[in-house]
Amino acid sequence: MAVGMSRPRDTHTAVVRPREEPGPVGGPGDGPDPGPFDVALDPDDLPDGLVVADETGRVICFNAAAARITAVPRAAALGRPLERALPLEDLKGRRWWALTDPYGGLATRVGQPERNLLLPGGREVLVSARYVREHPTGPVRRLVVSLRGTEARRRNERSHAELIATVAHELRSPLTSVKGFTATLLAKWERFTDDQKRLMLETVDADAGRVTRLIAELLDISRIDSGRLELRRQPVDLSAAVERHIRTLTANGQTPDRFLVRTCQPLPVVWADPDKVDQVLGNLLENAVRHGEGTVTIEVAPAPAKSDEKGTAVTVSDEGPGIPEESMGRVFTRFWRGSKRGGTGLGLYIVKGIVEAHGGTITVGRGPGGGAEFRFILPVSAPAYMG
């Protein structure tokens, strides 16, 4: 028996044909004939596990992903009853197919939402099911089961746990300082000189600023991960933005000869969010000053001709030890801090998210002076989906 899915006649149909049955999908009444835009898919091309049982409950399709996830060979599953080929249990040890009874249960049910179930040996899988009927209350003609491994979800859970632990650690120190100094000032105000009071208040102000920046980073991560990072686009002069950041760094104690700026004119007009661009530049320049050595070189130029889209490229490089080759692939991940500790390790993750939200790209490599080199390219115009 072949597997088919009925779709409205005016839609493009993705037809799934089991490898063992190369013939047409479905039969009379199963749905419209394939149209000129239909796409035939081999079940083994699907990224998730696919298991299909016929009206008798026997498995007629068991793709490669299902065999990999369950560790059950395809030949051992085909033709067997579903409850034996896929002996799932819920987290309380109850047999799943006996519990849900897809063939003998309510005739109005259309399937089962995704659940975390167990295979023999305790391996966890994410399972969802669809009951295919010829008419809404008719008997189940096919049971279509989707299987997914839990590795990606566990990685996501670990990432969230790490984020919470990092935030708790980073918040504890400044908040302890703020609480300690304010409590001391309130209890013993008259005992301190004006200079001592000023020093304490400056410390409180600096720690409060640190908390504020951490909260801003968390909000940015939330928006990036959910795809809700808002951009207020307007023409941005990247060269002027670089000069502004350098003036701020020199005002804070850096020597002017620490920086070398190269600008290649004419530059295309880039539409971007100026605040977000400032955040990217500030993070890259601060990293170069804090973790690099020697001269920090900033080059602003039209994007290389080999790039796919017209835009402006900004390159920030230093003359420090650089980033080890084995760490290059992890630079833009959460919590990466390199060889020197300090900070939350979230800055470059946010930088990458901001650049990509603009439709741009960012890369890391080794600069001419041996240090780290970061280059980001912002396109002249955003893709349509960012409009």
Side-chain angles (χ1 to χ4, degrees), residues 176-251:
T176 299
S177 172
V178 169
K179 177 64 176 176
F181 278 120
T182 53
T184 300
L185 285 171
L186 288 172
K188 303 176 180 180
W189 179 267
E190 301 297 336
R191 299 185 185 183
F192 297 107
T193 65
D194 289 344
D195 288 341
Q196 290 172 326
K197 293 174 184 176
R198 175 176 293 276
L199 178 61
M200 291 185 187
L201 290 174
E202 287 174 348
T203 304
V204 168
D205 181 66
D207 286 333
R210 181 177 165 187
V211 171
T212 300
R213 287 192 298 273
L214 178 58
I215 292 173
E217 287 182 343
L218 294 175
L219 290 173
D220 285 335
I221 287 177
S222 173
R223 293 175 182 131
I224 289 169
D225 288 349
S226 63
R228 295 185 293 106
L229 187 67
E230 294 184 2
L231 301 178
R232 303 182 184 276
R233 297 177 182 271
Q234 57 183 301
V236 174
D237 186 338
L238 288 172
S239 180
V242 168
E243 294 287 354
R244 185 170 61 252
H245 279 277
I246 291 176
R247 286 196 297 270
T248 301
L249 288 168
T250 54

Side-chain angles (χ1 to χ4, degrees), residues 49-282:
L50 175 68
V51 180
V52 183
D54 63 12
E55 68 269 17
T56 68
R58 293 188 177 272
V59 175
I60 60 172
C61 177
F62 201 84
N63 73 346
R68 172 179 52 81
I69 293 170
T70 63
V72 175
R74 187 202 309 264
L78 290 174
R80 298 184 68 191
L82 181 63
E83 65 270 14
R84 293 175 60 190
L86 200 61
L88 296 167
E89 296 182 352
D90 65 11
L91 300 183
K92 296 181 179 179
R94 297 175 295 184
R95 294 167 55 198
W96 182 244
W97 299 120
L99 182 67
T100 57
D101 191 15
Y103 292 93
L106 291 174
T108 56
R109 291 187 303 173
V110 296
Q112 291 288 338
E114 190 172 73
R115 294 285 299 271
N116 190 12
L117 300 177
L118 300 176
L119 289 165
R123 180 185 302 184
E124 294 186 16
V125 288
L126 297 173
V127 182
S128 58
R130 170 74 184 277
Y131 305 158
V132 181
R133 309 173 190 271
E134 290 183 353
H135 51 86
T137 58
V140 173
R141 294 303 183 189
R142 287 185 301 280
L143 179 61
V144 182
V145 182
S146 174
L147 304 174
R148 291 195 299 127
T150 60
E151 294 82 1
R153 190 179 72 172
R154 290 193 177 280
R155 285 195 299 270
N156 190 47
E157 289 174 350
R158 285 196 298 269
S159 178
H160 283 297
E162 290 174 358
L163 180 61
I164 292 171
T166 299
V167 169
H169 175 76
E170 294 294 330
L171 285 174
R172 181 180 302 160
S173 178
L175 289 178
T176 299
S177 172
V178 169
K179 177 64 176 176
F181 278 120
T182 53
T184 300
L185 285 171
L186 288 172
K188 303 176 180 180
W189 179 267
E190 301 297 336
R191 299 185 185 183
F192 297 107
T193 65
D194 289 344
D195 288 341
Q196 290 172 326
K197 293 174 184 176
R198 175 176 293 276
L199 178 61
M200 291 185 187
L201 290 174
E202 287 174 348
T203 304
V204 168
D205 181 66
D207 286 333
R210 181 177 165 187
V211 171
T212 300
R213 287 192 298 273
L214 178 58
I215 292 173
E217 287 182 343
L218 294 175
L219 290 173
D220 285 335
I221 287 177
S222 173
R223 293 175 182 131
I224 289 169
D225 288 349
S226 63
R228 295 185 293 106
L229 187 67
E230 294 184 2
L231 301 178
R232 303 182 184 276
R233 297 177 182 271
Q234 57 183 301
V236 174
D237 186 338
L238 288 172
S239 180
V242 168
E243 294 287 354
R244 185 170 61 252
H245 279 277
I246 291 176
R247 286 196 297 270
T248 301
L249 288 168
T250 54
N252 290 335
Q254 296 294 324
T255 57
D257 58 3
R258 177 85 191 271
F259 305 97
L260 174 62
V261 180
R262 298 185 182 132
T263 303
C264 300
Q265 298 287 357
L267 294 172
V269 177
V270 171
W271 284 74
D273 186 318
D275 293 334
K276 297 294 189 292
V277 169
D278 279 343
Q279 193 173 351
V280 170
L281 289 173

